[in-house]
Amino acid sequence: MLLELRDVSVHYGKIRALHGISIEVNEGEIVTLIGANGAGKSTTLKTISGLRPLSSGSVWFEGADISTMAGHKRVVAGISQSPEGRGIFPGMSVHENLLMGAYARKDDFSAELEEAYELFPRLKERQHQAAGTMSGGEQQMVAIGRALMAKPKVLLLDEPSMGLAPKLVQQIFSIIEEINRRGTTVLLVEQNAQQALKLAHRAYVLETGEVVKSAPAAELLDDPQVRAAYLGGDLGVAGGASAPPVPLEKGTAVDGEETQP
């Protein structure tokens, strides 16, 4: 097991954002978290990165409990995140942004820099351009390339397709698949549930801070409840109209067990 969350709860003040969730990510996998806005997906990634403290539970990485490890040390250990909204440094060049991803490294990172430019040729063409003047898709490439500069064992991607044109979405997902093929484990949070499930090996469905369903991604693509709630699926409503999105009920089987109401 490369990464594991065990019964993790997280609060924002008095509001509980995560309710005892447990998630596993094996080495070499692409695992995706899907769910509506406010379900706790981004909070989960922030918790793994060390940006949100645990209220209870634990986070394990490569067999070690890292629940109290500082965020910058988690980067050194092999956990790197491309955040929601990209978070680039707009006044710095593309090249300088990429170098920021290697800030904690003491070894030679020239191979990772070359790989970033290989994965994203557009960035090499514009390496001296201010990142803030790039298009949304190009900025997303900068954010992912910067995260790869840390030479992560697991790459956390938070909404990489947000705000992108369909053609660019396809390009970003193809690159994520290639990153995984080259040996990097990926944990993906994505509003585009259909694309995410087509890409991933396994998936978790989150609702109001709880895991309500877990299965191989291909199974969830054909799951009637998931299709109705997140994929615009047709549940056989009279006249052929699609059913409106509905929440998954608490008590849905999760890895052979049931969640509590």
Side-chain angles (χ1 to χ4, degrees):
M1 188 68 58
L2 181 62
L3 175 66
E4 185 178 8
L5 275 65
R6 300 180 183 175
D7 199 27
V8 166
S9 291
V10 171
H11 286 74
Y12 287 89
K14 294 182 179 180
I15 299 173
R16 188 162 68 162
L18 297 180
H19 301 251
I21 70 168
S22 295
I23 289 172
E24 298 179 352
V25 181
N26 296 307
E27 186 172 359
E29 284 189 311
I30 299 177
V31 175
T32 188
L33 309 179
I34 64 172
N37 287 333
K41 306 184 303 297
S42 292
T43 297
T44 300
L45 295 194
K46 291 177 181 178
T47 301
I48 295 169
S49 296
L51 302 178
R52 295 299 311 172
L54 300 174
S55 301
S56 62
S58 57
V59 179
W60 292 73
F61 184 64
E62 293 191 309
D65 187 345
I66 63 167
S67 302
T68 59
M69 181 183 287
H72 68 280
K73 292 185 178 179
R74 299 189 193 196
V75 175
V76 174
I79 299 173
S80 187
Q81 180 171 350
S82 175
E84 181 182 4
R86 298 152 195 154
I88 63 165
F89 300 97
M92 298 171 65
S93 70
V94 168
H95 187 75
E96 289 167 336
N97 267 270
L98 294 179
L99 294 185
M100 289 298 293
Y103 78 98
R105 294 184 59 177
K106 305 299 183 184
D107 58 334
D108 179 20
F109 50 78
S110 57
E112 283 69 44
L113 182 61
E114 185 58 36
E115 182 174 33
Y117 283 140
E118 180 187 346
L119 287 167
F120 304 105
R122 186 71 164 171
L123 300 187
K124 189 166 187 178
E125 294 173 6
R126 301 196 171 194
Q127 59 183 294
H128 302 301
Q129 182 173 332
T133 65
M134 307 279 278
S135 69
E138 290 165 341
Q139 289 185 22
Q140 187 62 68
M141 295 174 188
V142 172
I144 296 175
R146 181 183 58 192
L148 289 173
M149 288 295 294
K151 199 176 181 179
K153 296 172 184 175
V154 59
L155 176 64
L156 311 180
L157 296 174
D158 196 350
E159 303 287 7
S161 76
M162 180 181 289
L164 302 186
K167 184 177 180 180
L168 281 174
V169 170
Q170 292 292 337
Q171 184 178 357
I172 290 294
F173 274 95
S174 294
I175 291 169
I176 293 170
E177 187 173 29
E178 176 62 18
I179 289 169
N180 178 251
R181 190 190 67 78
R182 295 185 181 195
T184 302
T185 302
V186 176
L187 179 57
L188 170 68
V189 161
E190 180 54 56
Q191 281 284 354
N192 191 331
Q194 187 162 13
Q195 289 287 348
L197 291 174
K198 286 180 178 179
L199 178 71
H201 300 101
R202 292 188 303 107
Y204 293 85
V205 180
L206 270 65
E207 281 189 4
T208 59
E210 297 183 50
V211 173
V212 296
K213 191 177 282 282
S214 170
E219 289 185 15
L220 290 184
L221 268 173
D222 294 326
D223 184 291
Q225 280 188 304
V226 173
R227 292 190 66 83
Y230 305 111
L231 306 178
D234 187 343
L235 294 187
V237 177
S242 295
V246 294
L248 299 178
E249 296 179 358
K250 297 298 184 290
T252 301
V254 180
D255 291 338
E257 299 182 2
E258 289 193 345
T259 55
Q260 297 300 314

